[in-house]
Amino acid sequence: MMLGPFLFGAPLALLGLVALPVIWIILRATPPAPKDVALPSLRVLDDVTPQDETPARTPWWILLLRMLAAAAAIIGLSQPIYAPGASPSGEASGPVLIVLDDGWVSAPRWSEMRAAASAALDGEARDTAAHLLLTAPRSLDPDPSEAFARTELSSRVNSLDPLPWGVDRADALERLEASGFTPGRIFYVTDGTDSETATEFAESLAAIAPLSVYAAPPRGPFAITGLASDADGVNVRLRRVNTGDASDVYVSALTLDGAALATGTASFEAGSAEGMARFDIPAAALARVSRFAITGIEGAGSVWLWDSSARSRRVGLVSGDSTAQPLLADTHYVRKALEPFATISEGSIEDLIAADPDAIIMTDIGQLAPELETRVAAWVESGGALIRFAGPRMAAQADSLVPTPLRRSSRAIGGALTWEEPQSIGSFPDASPFAGLSASEDLKVRQQVLARPAPELVNRTWARLKDGSPLVTAAPRGQGMLILFHVTAGPDWSDLPYSGTFVEMLRRAIAAGRGETVADGEGTYAPDIVLNGYGRLVSPDSSASPVSASEFADIVPSEAHPPGLYRGPAGTRAINAAHAATPDLMTSWPAGTELLGDAEAKTNKLGGPLLGLAALLIAIDLLVALFIAGRFPHFGTRTRTAASALVIGLFVVATPQGADAQQRQIRPDPYSYGVSPSYGSRVNVTGELDKATEAALDMRLAYIETGDAAADRITRAGLDGLALILFRRTSVEPAETHAVDPETDALDVYPVIFLSLPENATPLSSLAVERLNAYLRNGGALFIDTRKGDAVGANSFDDLERVLPGLDTPPLQPVPNDHVMTRSFYLLDGFPGRYSNRRLWIESSGIGDQADRRGDGVSHLIIGDADYLAAWAIDERGRPLLSVDGGDQQREMARRFGINLIMYVLTGNYKEDQVHIPALLERLGEGGEDEGLPMGEEGAPNDQIDLEDILRRRGEPPQ
């Protein structure tokens, strides 16, 4: 049944409106008047005016409320539909053809267009057949001659989704003509854009049958049509068709998994169809962006995919060493070389693997812990590119993550101790990614790590020196690649980092490591991930086909080539739905066409809202009746009480706990015998601070627990003794010693960590070793005491490889006589512990021209075998715990070495120039010497004597 713009699904229910007068009469009816009985005792109340009066009949406004509720319920049960665009029956005869634009432009208003198509038969007779024609081409397009019943059509339309490619109206018209179907009326639901093809298509439809058009153009910006990147960021270009008012819209920069990294604002001026959003975000964040999307707008056109050819590479950088002078570090040269074409992130190897960059570059890391080495190998085999640079650590030892076996130690070319001249870069093999590069003869290589001769070495060499020795080697590992530069990333071993050739070699190495080429002239790109009609990333189906590289630039999105990311020889390439699309608003329609705007064509089902209104009116009537009957006598009082309780509760919860939440600091008491040294700590009355926080607040010595209770007890006692001497003689006041577990505890809060190896020590886990490696790379110091005083030289370190498998050990050398450790506090000529005449080993600084004096000069790894912890050990009363070979004098020297060691770790090369102090003392005739130590006037060792103190004591002005 149709009544004007209203359709009724159950018109018989409207007969209930006839009962409204009866309901009115019933509601107005009142019960019979009560019988009057005169009671003599009530005469005393004749002069009293009653306060509560009961009306004789129901108030008119309550009657009206109840009548409206009844009317709303009756009309709601008749299932009314508001359809102003529906035509009365009989205006057009024959079947109805519904034509629907289902391309990517329709996505922002797809629900409205689908509702309009479903309501196209609301005004038609029940037996009217419906036919469907879709304008976006697909392999399984419905035949326009296929008839649908009213319910079938609604189900069919509701199952449709917009497609991520555009419409082809000419193809749709050809399919309609080929079907031979002639409709009685055509209802065209269009996206309202693309005036060139839409006008011709609408005229052809109007020539076939009477035409009604429902146009639903996008109301706001609906497409990203391109972007341009520069050194500082990205500009994203947007388009809209309604150009009337000025407006702003937000654009989000997203990762591939949908995480939003930044938001930009695009401003549209009045009358302008294009806007621009600017993204100025850090390069590291920009490298993670894979797509841009208009916030709040659905559709494939509102998403712009950013492929690898347009965005920079993501590279992770890990250094095997830390330095106080970043401009001299190897990572500085790598970072400068990568900046033009890559974004760099630095961190631990585990974090970089989790981020899955295009490549990971490691500078001078000799070996990894076994478990971490396995994880890195798995990452490489799954497609990662690992690029490594040689250095002293790799020259000393190398793991399996190298493309070819290496010889132990490095080869020095040139210098005072060699007879060879520095070599220039020679050839780049034709099969190498470096083919075609040229290197200047002035680029010299002075030192390198040599590869062992092997049959496959020729095929794995990407670059050679003039003498034919490999400069860069590479080998595939699974789906990934291992690449090794046989020189350092900095200028220590070669001049390569100073040149532009270094930049190009890194660029090509990263591309080749991912199985890509820098050039993109040939090859095939297969669909990797595609967009659906709503702009969501999905896996490609069987209809998606590869695209050749030569045709990629001219490709048009279609069912065979949907918008998405395609992977090929040069990485990923993107097909975007709105690439170079400039759709305009359709304004010219054929004469006699019935145009239905947003309000006219949209149908609304009113049954539910009317029934809801009836329920609401009944609820209001019930509350009014209860209120009039006096059922809420304490309504106001209870409300005020509840509100007061709520306010008081919120106040109590929000009030901060004063002194109970405050921390207090307990300052250390001076050292004294008879008590266990506590050295001072900070505590919280609600609980103790965690170990890492304590170490961050107060300087502490730490040791690694080995599991041997006796050895760990001596180690702790030794560090307590060293802390006591430091407290007495220096300004260093260590707090209580900590035992640490490298697997779980924070290590970076300790300046030095001690490891004393017991007999048959249990090997540390791979995780513990790798965390120690990270600690050393970040500037920490590890002191290892093998306690084998009866061994000779380097043989005392035989257990290190067993106990610390995978420790990235640099080349070691005995401490030179002029090393800063010999004068960092006391002047020493030896490093005795419990045993005398022992050598102390530190990182090698090179020889002659190759000497490396960068940074603060602190060796991150210090190894001895004189059982130093036993010589420092004290009991709870501060007395020596164990005997020392040389008696009290050797124990004193061992303690002084301990002080020098801590001062060396804490101050680095601060006392480097103190080598001149003995000569100055001799020239000035000041002070005496005891075992090579500067002495005071009383014969006791001074904390430190410098030149100004000496001159001041002589009455001479400081120079």
Side-chain angles (χ1 to χ4, degrees):
M1 174 182 172
M2 184 172 185
L3 185 62
F6 296 97
L7 304 173
F8 296 91
L12 294 179
L14 294 176
L15 295 176
L17 296 175
V18 179
L20 288 180
V22 178
I23 297 174
W24 176 271
I25 294 173
I26 293 174
L27 292 176
R28 286 182 58 84
T30 57
K35 184 178 180 179
D36 294 335
V37 177
L39 296 176
S41 61
L42 295 178
R43 290 181 180 274
V44 297
L45 301 177
D46 288 346
D47 297 333
V48 178
T49 303
Q51 298 298 322
D52 296 329
E53 297 181 355
T54 302
R57 59 184 69 246
T58 305
W60 68 269
W61 56 273
I62 294 181
L63 289 175
L64 179 61
L65 186 68
R66 294 171 179 174
M67 293 299 292
L68 289 176
I74 293 171
I75 298 175
L77 292 174
S78 67
Q79 301 179 16
I81 299 175
Y82 178 68
S87 59
S89 299
E91 288 187 3
S93 59
V96 176
L97 174 64
I98 299 173
V99 183
L100 180 60
D101 283 344
D102 58 339
W104 64 267
V105 180
S106 303
R109 298 183 64 182
W110 180 248
S111 60
E112 300 176 39
M113 296 176 63
R114 192 163 53 183
S118 298
L121 297 180
D122 286 345
E124 303 293 334
R126 289 186 176 274
D127 58 350
T128 301
H131 299 254
L132 183 63
L133 177 64
L134 304 177
T135 59
R138 71 191 82 195
S139 57
L140 298 177
D141 271 324
D143 188 353
S145 63
E146 180 183 359
F148 294 92
R150 186 189 300 266
T151 56
E152 293 176 342
L153 175 69
S154 179
S155 299
R156 173 69 176 178
V157 171
N158 289 332
S159 66
L160 294 175
D161 290 320
L163 298 178
W165 51 86
V167 299
D168 189 345
R169 298 185 176 101
D171 176 75
L173 189 60
E174 291 178 0
R175 286 187 281 111
L176 176 60
E177 294 175 351
S179 68
F181 168 66
T182 302
R185 184 170 71 89
I186 299 177
F187 185 69
Y188 181 24
V189 183
T190 176
D191 57 32
T193 62
D194 194 359
S195 57
E196 295 181 1
T197 60
T199 301
E200 181 180 352
F201 183 66
E203 290 176 350
S204 300
L205 294 179
I208 297 174
L211 178 64
S212 298
V213 175
Y214 172 64
R219 293 193 177 98
F222 67 100
I224 300 178
T225 58
L227 56 84
S229 59
D230 51 40
D232 300 322
V234 177
N235 292 316
V236 180
R237 186 170 60 254
L238 285 74
R239 186 168 182 83
R240 65 175 182 172
V241 293
N242 53 332
T243 59
D245 300 329
S247 64
D248 292 335
V249 67
Y250 296 103
V251 181
S252 298
L254 307 174
T255 62
L256 195 61
D257 57 3
L261 299 180
T263 300
T265 303
S267 298
F268 288 86
E269 299 179 356
S272 175
E274 290 192 351
M276 194 75 69
R278 175 68 181 177
F279 287 86
D280 291 316
I281 58 179
L286 194 62
R288 298 179 57 200
V289 175
S290 64
R291 53 191 167 121
F292 295 89
I294 304 175
T295 304
I297 302 296
E298 288 189 326
S302 65
V303 177
W304 187 272
L305 298 172
W306 203 14
D307 56 32
S308 62
S309 64
R311 60 189 176 94
S312 58
R313 306 281 183 175
R314 295 186 301 116
V315 178
L317 185 57
V318 184
S319 175
D321 196 7
S322 63
T323 175
Q325 302 178 21
L327 296 181
L328 298 179
D330 289 350
T331 53
H332 169 73
Y333 295 90
V334 176
R335 193 179 298 109
K336 286 297 183 182
L338 295 175
E339 282 178 354
F341 64 91
T343 53
I344 308 159
S345 56
E346 299 186 48
S348 65
I349 299 177
E350 296 94 333
D351 294 340
L352 293 179
I353 292 177
D356 192 23
D358 295 308
I360 294 179
I361 298 179
M362 298 195 307
T363 62
D364 192 20
I365 294 180
Q367 65 176 358
L368 303 172
E371 290 184 6
L372 183 59
E373 181 180 348
T374 302
R375 291 186 58 191
V376 175
W379 176 78
V380 173
E381 291 174 357
S382 64
L386 180 62
I387 302 175
R388 305 184 69 172
F389 284 87
R393 283 177 170 78
M394 183 169 286
Q397 56 187 351
D399 51 34
S400 62
L401 297 176
V402 288
T404 184
L406 304 177
R407 287 183 175 176
R408 195 86 171 189
S409 75
S410 61
R411 168 204 186 196
I413 310 172
L417 301 180
T418 64
W419 56 86
E420 296 181 78
E421 292 295 327
Q423 293 287 318
S424 300
I425 297 177
S427 61
F428 300 108
D430 294 337
S432 165
F434 304 151
L437 292 180
S438 61
S440 172
E441 290 287 338
D442 296 334
L443 298 180
K444 302 296 183 181
V445 175
R446 297 175 294 276
Q447 192 168 348
Q448 66 178 142
V449 173
L450 288 176
R452 292 180 183 174
E456 65 275 5
L457 182 59
V458 175
N459 296 329
R460 296 182 179 182
T461 300
W462 283 4
R464 296 187 179 93
L465 298 180
K466 285 289 188 181
D467 61 1
S469 59
L471 176 63
V472 180
T473 56
R477 178 74 64 89
Q479 298 179 7
M481 184 73 71
L482 296 173
I483 304 171
L484 173 63
F485 285 72
H486 291 243
V487 293
T488 58
D492 297 332
W493 287 11
S494 73
D495 299 329
L496 183 61
Y498 293 134
S499 67
T501 305
F502 185 61
V503 177
E504 188 62 25
M505 290 175 72
L506 275 180
R507 175 171 176 259
R508 296 195 180 193
I510 293 172
R514 300 292 287 187
E516 305 168 3
T517 58
V518 176
D520 186 24
E522 57 185 24
T524 301
Y525 289 84
D528 187 31
I529 191 168
V530 298
L531 291 172
N532 64 11
Y534 293 107
R536 304 185 185 102
L537 291 172
V538 296
S539 299
D541 55 27
S542 58
S543 61
S545 304
V547 184
S548 64
S550 59
E551 300 175 355
F552 208 97
D554 301 325
I555 202 71
V556 176
S558 63
E559 184 178 20
H561 309 302
L565 290 175
Y566 290 68
R567 187 169 296 278
T572 57
R573 297 286 300 274
I575 296 177
N576 288 292
H579 177 65
T582 56
D584 296 320
L585 186 64
M586 175 64 180
T587 57
S588 177
W589 298 98
T593 301
E594 181 185 8
L595 297 179
L596 305 175
D598 294 351
E600 290 79 6
K602 185 166 54 177
T603 62
N604 293 314
K605 294 183 179 181
L606 304 180
L610 287 174
L611 292 176
L613 176 62
L616 178 62
L617 294 176
I618 293 174
I620 294 174
D621 178 72
L622 178 61
L623 292 175
V624 170
L626 292 174
F627 185 79
I628 293 176
R631 299 296 184 181
F632 304 129
H634 304 293
F635 179 81
T637 303
R638 293 179 179 177
T639 302
R640 288 192 298 270
T641 302
S644 301
L646 178 62
V647 171
I648 293 174
L650 292 175
F651 177 78
V652 171
V653 172
T655 302
Q657 303 298 318
D660 290 341
Q662 300 299 319
Q663 290 184 354
R664 58 181 179 175
Q665 180 177 353
I666 302 176
R667 298 304 303 165
D669 295 330
Y671 266 86
S672 60
Y673 294 131
V675 295
S676 181
S678 61
Y679 319 111
S681 61
R682 289 176 173 84
V683 298
N684 189 301
V685 296
T686 61
E688 296 182 355
L689 294 177
D690 61 272
K691 187 184 298 182
T693 304
E694 289 180 343
L697 293 174
D698 296 293
M699 183 268 181
R700 297 172 187 267
L701 302 179
Y703 68 95
I704 297 175
E705 290 183 305
T706 62
D708 187 311
D712 290 342
R713 184 171 60 253
I714 294 175
T715 299
R716 189 179 189 93
L719 294 183
D720 285 343
L722 179 58
L724 176 62
I725 296 299
L726 287 168
F727 187 89
R728 287 179 171 179
R729 301 185 184 182
T730 73
S731 60
V732 179
E733 300 179 0
E736 185 178 2
T737 301
H738 275 174
V740 296
D741 182 353
E743 289 189 7
T744 58
D745 291 333
L747 304 180
D748 292 343
V749 292
Y750 303 101
V752 58
I753 297 176
F754 290 81
L755 174 60
S756 182
L757 299 180
E759 293 291 336
N760 300 320
T762 303
L764 271 66
S765 67
S766 179
L767 175 60
V769 172
E770 182 50 39
R771 295 198 71 212
L772 283 175
N773 281 337
Y775 169 73
L776 297 177
R777 293 167 192 150
N778 291 330
L782 177 63
F783 183 92
I784 301 177
D785 190 348
T786 64
R787 305 174 62 202
K788 293 187 176 181
D790 55 342
V792 179
N795 293 331
S796 59
F797 310 140
D798 292 340
D799 287 343
L800 287 183
E801 187 64 29
R802 182 184 63 83
V803 178
L804 297 169
L807 186 68
D808 195 11
T809 306
L812 300 175
Q813 67 175 16
V815 177
N817 294 332
D818 62 343
H819 193 268
V820 66
M821 198 184 301
T822 63
R823 54 187 178 277
S824 57
F825 194 84
Y826 291 101
L827 296 179
L828 301 177
D829 56 5
F831 308 104
R834 193 177 186 187
Y835 309 107
S836 60
N837 299 323
R838 306 308 308 152
R839 282 185 174 181
L840 191 68
W841 296 78
I842 60 173
E843 293 183 27
S844 174
S845 60
I847 301 174
D849 297 339
Q850 311 301 329
D852 182 5
R853 308 294 291 176
R854 298 182 302 169
D856 57 5
V858 175
S859 172
H860 303 305
L861 187 62
I862 305 170
I863 304 177
D865 58 1
D867 203 1
Y868 298 100
L869 281 303
W872 301 335
I874 60 173
D875 59 16
E876 66 276 2
R877 301 188 62 183
R879 298 173 301 185
L881 191 62
L882 299 172
S883 62
V884 175
D885 284 355
D888 290 342
Q889 183 177 6
Q890 183 172 322
R891 189 188 306 277
E892 172 62 22
M893 299 302 297
R895 290 172 175 173
R896 292 178 180 179
F897 160 66
I899 294 176
N900 272 30
L901 171 67
I902 299 301
M903 289 298 182
Y904 166 68
V905 170
L906 295 180
T907 64
N909 60 0
Y910 174 66
K911 295 297 181 181
E912 185 84 23
D913 57 351
Q914 296 301 307
V915 66
H916 305 295
I917 287 294
L920 293 173
L921 292 173
E922 184 178 354
R923 287 177 54 198
L924 296 173
E926 288 289 334
E929 292 191 2
D930 179 15
E931 299 295 330
L933 303 174
M935 307 295 292
E937 296 177 357
E938 303 289 332
N942 292 330
D943 285 352
Q944 182 59 59
I945 299 178
D946 58 24
L947 181 57
E948 284 193 12
D949 291 336
I950 297 171
L951 295 175
R952 189 177 292 110
R953 289 164 60 191
R954 286 180 55 88
E956 300 179 10
Q959 299 179 358

